[in-house]
Amino acid sequence: MTTTVLVLGGSHFLGRAVAEEALLRGWEVTVFNRGKSGRDPHGVRSVRGDRTSPGDLERLAKLGPWDAVVDTSGMAADTVHSATRALCDRTARYVYTSTVSVYAGWPLVPLNEEQPTLADASPAEGMPADVNVPYGVDKALCEKAAEHHLGEKLTILRPGVIVGPHEYVGRLPWWLRRVDRGGTILAPGQPEQRIQPVDVRDVAHFACQRIEAGWTREVFNVAAPGAHATMAEFLDTCIAVVGSQNAALEWVASEFLLHHGAKQWTEIPLWRTYSGTWQVSGDRAREAGLVCRPLADTVADTWAWMSSGGSAVEHERAALHGLDAAKEASLLAAWRATRSMPK
Protein backbone atom coordinates (compact mmCIF):
# COMPACT_ATOMS: atom_id res chain seq x y z
CA MET A 1 0.00 0.00 0.00
CA THR A 2 1.42 3.40 -0.99
CA THR A 3 2.50 5.73 1.81
CA THR A 4 0.84 9.14 1.71
CA VAL A 5 2.54 12.22 3.10
CA LEU A 6 1.64 15.90 3.43
CA VAL A 7 4.45 18.45 3.50
CA LEU A 8 3.66 21.85 4.98
CA GLY A 9 5.92 23.93 2.77
CA GLY A 10 7.50 21.79 0.10
CA SER A 11 8.62 24.36 -2.45
CA HIS A 12 12.13 25.24 -1.29
CA PHE A 13 15.11 23.91 0.65
CA LEU A 14 14.17 21.44 3.41
CA GLY A 15 10.50 21.15 2.48
CA ARG A 16 11.45 20.58 -1.14
CA ALA A 17 14.07 18.00 -0.13
CA VAL A 18 11.51 16.11 1.96
CA ALA A 19 9.02 16.08 -0.91
CA GLU A 20 11.68 14.88 -3.36
CA GLU A 21 12.87 12.15 -0.98
CA ALA A 22 9.30 10.95 -0.50
CA LEU A 23 8.76 10.85 -4.26
CA LEU A 24 11.93 8.79 -4.68
CA ARG A 25 10.42 6.27 -2.26
CA GLY A 26 7.32 6.02 -4.44
CA TRP A 27 5.08 7.80 -1.95
CA GLU A 28 2.10 9.97 -2.81
CA VAL A 29 3.07 13.53 -1.84
CA THR A 30 0.87 16.54 -1.20
CA VAL A 31 2.47 19.93 -0.57
CA PHE A 32 0.64 22.83 1.05
CA ASN A 33 1.97 26.34 0.55
CA ARG A 34 1.03 29.76 -0.78
CA GLY A 35 2.82 29.25 -4.09
CA LYS A 36 4.76 32.47 -3.64
CA SER A 37 8.30 31.16 -3.13
CA GLY A 38 10.04 28.43 -5.05
CA ARG A 39 8.50 25.75 -7.21
CA ASP A 40 6.83 22.56 -6.12
CA PRO A 41 8.71 19.41 -7.19
CA HIS A 42 7.34 17.64 -10.24
CA GLY A 43 5.02 14.82 -9.29
CA VAL A 44 3.44 16.24 -6.14
CA ARG A 45 -0.15 17.26 -5.59
CA SER A 46 -0.05 21.01 -4.96
CA VAL A 47 -2.56 22.57 -2.61
CA ARG A 48 -2.47 26.34 -2.33
CA GLY A 49 -3.29 28.00 0.94
CA ASP A 50 -2.03 29.98 3.90
CA ARG A 51 -1.34 28.08 7.10
CA THR A 52 -2.35 31.14 9.11
CA SER A 53 -5.89 30.91 7.65
CA PRO A 54 -8.31 28.67 9.61
CA GLY A 55 -10.42 28.27 6.48
CA ASP A 56 -7.44 27.11 4.41
CA LEU A 57 -6.44 24.60 7.11
CA GLU A 58 -9.99 23.27 7.31
CA ARG A 59 -10.05 22.83 3.54
CA LEU A 60 -6.68 21.09 3.64
CA ALA A 61 -7.74 18.69 6.38
CA LYS A 62 -10.68 17.52 4.28
CA LEU A 63 -8.22 16.31 1.62
CA GLY A 64 -6.68 13.77 4.01
CA PRO A 65 -6.04 11.50 5.70
CA TRP A 66 -2.30 10.99 5.28
CA ASP A 67 0.05 8.46 6.77
CA ALA A 68 2.32 11.31 7.83
CA VAL A 69 2.62 15.09 7.91
CA VAL A 70 6.01 16.82 7.78
CA ASP A 71 6.00 20.42 8.97
CA THR A 72 8.99 22.36 7.67
CA SER A 73 7.44 25.84 7.84
CA GLY A 74 6.12 26.23 11.40
CA MET A 75 7.85 29.28 12.86
CA ALA A 76 5.33 30.58 15.42
CA ALA A 77 3.49 28.76 18.18
CA ASP A 78 0.04 29.96 17.13
CA THR A 79 0.46 28.71 13.57
CA VAL A 80 1.79 25.33 14.73
CA HIS A 81 -1.07 25.14 17.24
CA SER A 82 -3.62 25.77 14.46
CA ALA A 83 -2.05 23.31 12.03
CA THR A 84 -1.66 20.48 14.52
CA ARG A 85 -5.19 20.98 15.83
CA ALA A 86 -6.58 20.82 12.29
CA LEU A 87 -4.50 17.82 11.21
CA CYS A 88 -4.03 15.73 14.36
CA ASP A 89 -6.90 13.41 13.47
CA ARG A 90 -5.93 13.26 9.80
CA THR A 91 -2.53 11.62 10.19
CA ALA A 92 -0.82 8.76 12.01
CA ARG A 93 2.56 10.50 12.25
CA TYR A 94 3.63 14.14 12.43
CA VAL A 95 7.24 15.27 11.99
CA TYR A 96 7.97 18.79 13.20
CA THR A 97 11.24 20.40 12.17
CA SER A 98 12.60 22.45 15.05
CA THR A 99 16.18 23.60 15.77
CA VAL A 100 18.99 23.22 18.30
CA SER A 101 18.33 26.87 19.14
CA VAL A 102 15.51 25.67 21.41
CA TYR A 103 18.00 24.58 24.07
CA ALA A 104 18.47 26.91 27.03
CA GLY A 105 22.22 26.34 26.83
CA TRP A 106 22.67 26.85 23.09
CA PRO A 107 25.36 27.73 21.92
CA LEU A 108 27.39 27.90 25.14
CA VAL A 109 27.44 24.26 26.18
CA PRO A 110 27.57 20.82 24.53
CA LEU A 111 24.07 19.56 23.75
CA ASN A 112 22.06 16.37 23.91
CA GLU A 113 18.33 15.75 23.78
CA GLU A 114 17.95 15.55 27.56
CA GLN A 115 18.80 19.19 28.15
CA PRO A 116 16.04 21.72 28.94
CA THR A 117 14.56 23.94 26.26
CA LEU A 118 13.62 27.59 26.39
CA ALA A 119 9.98 26.59 26.81
CA ASP A 120 10.80 25.33 30.31
CA ALA A 121 14.00 27.15 31.34
CA SER A 122 15.67 30.54 31.13
CA PRO A 123 18.65 31.08 28.83
CA ALA A 124 21.96 29.92 30.29
CA GLU A 125 23.71 32.43 32.51
CA GLY A 126 25.94 34.75 30.54
CA MET A 127 24.08 34.30 27.25
CA PRO A 128 25.67 36.77 24.77
CA ALA A 129 23.59 39.53 23.23
CA ASP A 130 24.31 38.33 19.69
CA VAL A 131 22.52 35.00 20.26
CA ASN A 132 18.98 35.06 18.85
CA VAL A 133 17.21 33.86 21.98
CA PRO A 134 13.72 34.99 20.82
CA TYR A 135 14.01 32.66 17.81
CA GLY A 136 14.85 29.77 20.12
CA VAL A 137 11.93 30.62 22.41
CA ASP A 138 9.54 30.73 19.46
CA LYS A 139 10.62 27.32 18.18
CA ALA A 140 10.51 25.81 21.68
CA LEU A 141 6.93 27.02 22.07
CA CYS A 142 6.16 25.57 18.63
CA GLU A 143 7.30 22.20 19.94
CA LYS A 144 4.98 22.57 22.95
CA ALA A 145 2.06 23.44 20.68
CA ALA A 146 2.69 20.36 18.57
CA GLU A 147 3.00 18.14 21.64
CA HIS A 148 -0.33 19.41 22.97
CA HIS A 149 -2.30 18.12 20.01
CA LEU A 150 -0.21 15.19 18.78
CA GLY A 151 1.15 13.40 21.83
CA GLU A 152 2.64 10.06 20.84
CA LYS A 153 2.25 10.76 17.11
CA LEU A 154 4.97 13.41 17.19
CA THR A 155 8.58 13.26 16.04
CA ILE A 156 10.66 16.39 16.65
CA LEU A 157 13.81 16.97 14.63
CA ARG A 158 16.28 19.55 15.92
CA PRO A 159 18.85 20.25 13.21
CA GLY A 160 21.86 22.49 13.67
CA VAL A 161 23.17 24.19 10.54
CA ILE A 162 21.59 22.82 7.35
CA VAL A 163 23.41 23.37 4.04
CA GLY A 164 23.13 22.09 0.49
CA PRO A 165 21.44 22.85 -2.83
CA HIS A 166 18.60 25.41 -2.66
CA GLU A 167 19.96 26.90 0.59
CA TYR A 168 18.24 30.25 1.19
CA VAL A 169 20.18 31.46 4.25
CA GLY A 170 23.30 31.64 2.13
CA ARG A 171 26.07 30.37 4.39
CA LEU A 172 27.66 27.86 2.01
CA PRO A 173 26.73 29.81 -1.15
CA TRP A 174 28.44 32.90 0.26
CA TRP A 175 31.69 31.02 0.85
CA LEU A 176 31.55 29.53 -2.64
CA ARG A 177 30.98 32.93 -4.23
CA ARG A 178 33.82 34.39 -2.16
CA VAL A 179 36.20 31.65 -3.26
CA ASP A 180 35.13 32.14 -6.87
CA ARG A 181 36.13 35.81 -6.59
CA GLY A 182 39.63 34.66 -5.68
CA GLY A 183 42.48 36.52 -4.06
CA THR A 184 43.37 36.39 -0.39
CA ILE A 185 40.45 35.10 1.66
CA LEU A 186 40.03 35.89 5.34
CA ALA A 187 39.77 32.51 7.07
CA PRO A 188 38.37 32.87 10.59
CA GLY A 189 39.64 31.37 13.82
CA GLN A 190 41.51 28.10 14.00
CA PRO A 191 42.00 25.82 10.96
CA GLU A 192 41.43 22.74 13.13
CA GLN A 193 38.03 23.92 14.45
CA ARG A 194 35.55 21.06 14.00
CA ILE A 195 32.23 21.89 12.34
CA GLN A 196 28.99 19.88 12.02
CA PRO A 197 26.78 21.22 9.21
CA VAL A 198 24.34 18.64 7.88
CA ASP A 199 23.20 18.20 4.29
CA VAL A 200 19.56 19.11 3.68
CA ARG A 201 19.05 15.85 1.77
CA ASP A 202 20.29 13.83 4.74
CA VAL A 203 17.79 15.60 7.03
CA ALA A 204 15.02 14.80 4.54
CA HIS A 205 16.12 11.18 4.27
CA PHE A 206 16.10 10.83 8.05
CA ALA A 207 12.63 12.40 8.33
CA CYS A 208 11.27 9.84 5.90
CA GLN A 209 13.06 7.04 7.75
CA ARG A 210 11.30 8.05 10.95
CA ILE A 211 7.95 7.97 9.15
CA GLU A 212 8.66 4.42 8.02
CA ALA A 213 9.80 3.40 11.50
CA GLY A 214 6.46 4.46 12.98
CA TRP A 215 7.77 4.81 16.52
CA THR A 216 5.94 6.76 19.18
CA ARG A 217 6.98 10.17 20.55
CA GLU A 218 10.65 10.85 19.79
CA VAL A 219 13.12 13.76 19.67
CA PHE A 220 16.38 13.89 17.73
CA ASN A 221 19.21 16.33 17.31
CA VAL A 222 20.15 16.19 13.63
CA ALA A 223 23.81 17.08 13.25
CA ALA A 224 26.84 15.61 11.55
CA PRO A 225 29.39 13.77 13.70
CA GLY A 226 31.90 15.86 15.60
CA ALA A 227 34.70 14.59 13.38
CA HIS A 228 32.78 15.45 10.20
CA ALA A 229 35.18 18.18 9.00
CA THR A 230 37.39 21.03 10.14
CA MET A 231 37.05 24.63 9.05
CA ALA A 232 40.26 24.24 7.05
CA GLU A 233 38.96 21.12 5.30
CA PHE A 234 35.74 22.92 4.50
CA LEU A 235 37.43 25.99 2.99
CA ASP A 236 40.04 23.94 1.14
CA THR A 237 37.22 21.91 -0.35
CA CYS A 238 35.44 25.08 -1.48
CA ILE A 239 38.62 26.18 -3.28
CA ALA A 240 39.09 22.77 -4.91
CA VAL A 241 35.45 22.48 -6.01
CA VAL A 242 35.30 25.98 -7.47
CA GLY A 243 38.67 25.49 -9.14
CA SER A 244 39.93 28.91 -8.17
CA GLN A 245 43.55 29.32 -9.30
CA ASN A 246 44.45 32.35 -7.19
CA ALA A 247 42.44 31.88 -4.00
CA ALA A 248 44.55 31.71 -0.85
CA LEU A 249 43.46 31.47 2.77
CA GLU A 250 44.85 33.76 5.44
CA TRP A 251 43.91 32.63 8.93
CA VAL A 252 42.99 35.39 11.35
CA ALA A 253 42.61 34.83 15.09
CA SER A 254 39.11 34.94 16.53
CA GLU A 255 40.14 37.34 19.30
CA PHE A 256 41.38 39.82 16.71
CA LEU A 257 38.21 39.55 14.63
CA LEU A 258 35.97 40.09 17.63
CA HIS A 259 38.03 43.05 18.80
CA HIS A 260 37.70 44.64 15.36
CA GLY A 261 33.94 44.23 15.15
CA ALA A 262 33.55 41.21 12.90
CA LYS A 263 30.14 39.60 13.45
CA GLN A 264 30.40 35.89 14.01
CA TRP A 265 27.88 33.46 12.54
CA THR A 266 26.39 35.97 10.09
CA GLU A 267 29.04 38.31 8.70
CA ILE A 268 31.52 35.42 8.59
CA PRO A 269 29.31 32.36 8.06
CA LEU A 270 29.95 29.20 10.12
CA TRP A 271 32.49 30.99 12.36
CA ARG A 272 31.40 31.11 15.97
CA THR A 273 33.50 31.23 19.11
CA TYR A 274 31.03 29.83 21.66
CA SER A 275 32.20 26.41 22.76
CA GLY A 276 28.89 24.58 22.34
CA THR A 277 28.25 25.66 18.76
CA TRP A 278 29.79 22.58 17.19
CA GLN A 279 29.32 20.18 20.10
CA VAL A 280 25.83 18.95 19.30
CA SER A 281 25.37 15.25 19.98
CA GLY A 282 23.66 13.51 17.10
CA ASP A 283 24.34 10.04 18.51
CA ARG A 284 20.67 9.25 19.05
CA ALA A 285 19.81 10.11 15.45
CA ARG A 286 22.73 8.11 14.05
CA GLU A 287 21.69 5.10 16.12
CA ALA A 288 18.24 5.48 14.59
CA GLY A 289 19.62 5.58 11.03
CA LEU A 290 20.87 9.10 10.26
CA VAL A 291 23.70 8.96 7.72
CA CYS A 292 25.62 12.13 6.87
CA ARG A 293 27.35 12.28 3.51
CA PRO A 294 30.85 13.80 3.36
CA LEU A 295 30.83 17.60 3.52
CA ALA A 296 32.87 17.60 0.31
CA ASP A 297 29.90 16.07 -1.53
CA THR A 298 27.58 18.76 -0.18
CA VAL A 299 29.98 21.50 -1.26
CA ALA A 300 30.36 20.01 -4.75
CA ASP A 301 26.62 19.53 -5.26
CA THR A 302 25.83 23.04 -4.04
CA TRP A 303 28.38 24.55 -6.42
CA ALA A 304 26.98 22.46 -9.29
CA TRP A 305 23.49 23.76 -8.48
CA MET A 306 24.73 27.35 -8.35
CA SER A 307 26.76 26.97 -11.55
CA SER A 308 23.75 25.64 -13.43
CA GLY A 309 21.79 28.79 -12.65
CA GLY A 310 20.24 27.68 -9.42
CA SER A 311 19.18 30.42 -7.05
CA ALA A 312 17.46 30.25 -3.70
CA VAL A 313 14.18 31.90 -2.87
CA GLU A 314 14.51 35.39 -1.46
CA HIS A 315 14.68 35.44 2.31
CA GLU A 316 15.35 38.23 4.80
CA ARG A 317 18.03 36.20 6.59
CA ALA A 318 20.21 36.04 3.47
CA ALA A 319 21.01 39.75 3.66
CA LEU A 320 22.60 39.24 7.08
CA HIS A 321 25.21 36.79 5.83
CA GLY A 322 28.55 37.60 4.27
CA LEU A 323 31.52 39.87 4.80
CA ASP A 324 31.75 43.06 2.75
CA ALA A 325 34.82 43.04 0.49
CA ALA A 326 36.07 46.38 1.77
CA LYS A 327 35.74 45.28 5.38
CA GLU A 328 37.52 42.04 4.62
CA ALA A 329 40.43 43.94 3.08
CA SER A 330 40.54 46.30 6.05
CA LEU A 331 40.58 43.43 8.54
CA LEU A 332 43.35 41.65 6.65
CA ALA A 333 45.44 44.82 6.50
CA ALA A 334 45.02 45.42 10.20
CA TRP A 335 45.85 41.81 10.99
CA ARG A 336 49.05 41.96 8.95
CA ALA A 337 50.03 45.18 10.69
CA THR A 338 49.79 43.51 14.08
CA ARG A 339 51.81 40.56 12.83
CA SER A 340 54.60 42.79 11.56
CA MET A 341 54.88 44.84 14.75
CA PRO A 342 58.02 44.16 16.82
CA LYS A 343 57.38 42.07 19.92
Side-chain angles (χ1 to χ4, degrees):
M1 190 171 181
T2 302
T3 299
T4 58
V5 61
L6 166 66
V7 181
L8 301 183
S11 64
H12 66 275
F13 204 39
L14 179 56
R16 181 184 186 89
V18 170
E20 290 177 339
E21 173 66 26
L23 289 169
L24 286 174
R25 292 168 181 257
W27 297 358
E28 292 181 3
V29 182
T30 300
V31 299
F32 176 72
N33 55 59
R34 296 175 300 170
K36 294 183 177 181
S37 59
R39 294 182 179 179
D40 298 335
H42 178 72
V44 304
R45 175 173 65 163
S46 300
V47 179
R48 297 291 176 245
D50 189 332
R51 64 177 298 159
T52 66
S53 166
D56 287 355
L57 287 175
E58 182 179 355
R59 175 171 52 85
L60 174 65
K62 291 178 180 178
L63 299 177
W66 297 272
D67 294 310
V69 175
V70 182
D71 186 348
T72 65
S73 61
M75 302 299 291
D78 58 345
T79 60
V80 173
H81 175 81
S82 297
T84 52
R85 180 177 57 188
L87 299 172
C88 62
D89 293 330
R90 308 299 287 164
T91 184
R93 300 292 302 159
Y94 196 107
V95 180
Y96 176 67
T97 307
S98 187
T99 168
V100 295
S101 295
V102 299
Y103 290 109
W106 166 257
L108 301 185
V109 300
L111 297 176
N112 60 54
E113 290 88 350
E114 303 307 316
Q115 296 193 11
T117 76
L118 291 164
D120 302 308
S122 299
E125 185 177 355
M127 187 65 66
D130 64 351
V131 175
N132 190 355
V133 173
Y135 169 66
V137 171
D138 286 344
K139 293 292 280 187
L141 293 176
C142 286
E143 291 185 5
K144 287 291 187 183
E147 291 170 352
H148 176 74
H149 289 291
L150 296 162
E152 296 301 302
K153 295 181 178 181
L154 179 64
T155 292
I156 296 175
L157 304 183
R158 294 172 179 161
V161 173
I162 305 177
V163 293
H166 299 276
E167 182 195 336
Y168 61 83
V169 175
R171 296 182 177 100
L172 175 51
W174 182 83
W175 277 114
L176 289 167
R177 286 192 295 268
R178 175 61 193 92
V179 166
D180 189 41
R181 197 168 77 237
T184 302
I185 300 169
L186 190 157
Q190 299 298 318
E192 65 272 17
Q193 172 64 58
R194 295 285 176 178
I195 59 175
Q196 299 176 275
V198 61
D199 191 293
V200 64
R201 296 163 293 182
D202 296 335
V203 180
H205 188 269
F206 184 62
C208 291
Q209 278 187 320
R210 300 323 302 156
I211 291 170
E212 288 182 328
W215 287 17
T216 57
R217 173 80 166 83
E218 52 188 5
V219 179
F220 297 99
N221 293 336
V222 186
H228 193 51
T230 65
M231 196 67 178
E233 290 168 343
F234 165 66
L235 294 179
D236 286 341
T237 298
C238 288
I239 292 173
V241 164
V242 171
S244 178
Q245 298 301 309
N246 69 335
L249 302 176
E250 184 165 345
W251 292 92
V252 179
S254 290
E255 295 78 6
F256 175 88
L257 292 172
L258 293 173
H259 180 71
H260 285 77
K263 297 177 182 178
Q264 52 184 319
W265 206 236
T266 53
E267 198 168 42
I268 305 181
L270 303 184
W271 166 62
R272 206 169 202 177
T273 60
Y274 309 129
S275 59
T277 302
W278 299 116
Q279 295 190 67
V280 177
S281 173
D283 292 346
R284 180 185 291 182
R286 282 189 291 280
E287 290 170 1
L290 172 67
V291 177
C292 294
R293 70 194 69 200
L295 186 55
D297 292 353
T298 303
V299 173
D301 292 347
T302 302
W303 180 243
W305 165 68
M306 293 169 64
S307 300
S308 66
S311 59
V313 299
E314 294 185 5
H315 197 279
E316 64 272 10
R317 292 175 65 189
L320 302 175
H321 290 79
L323 185 61
D324 176 76
K327 184 170 182 178
E328 180 185 28
S330 175
L331 287 168
L332 285 171
W335 171 248
R336 292 166 187 157
T338 64
R339 306 297 285 176
S340 62
M341 291 174 61
K343 296 182 180 180

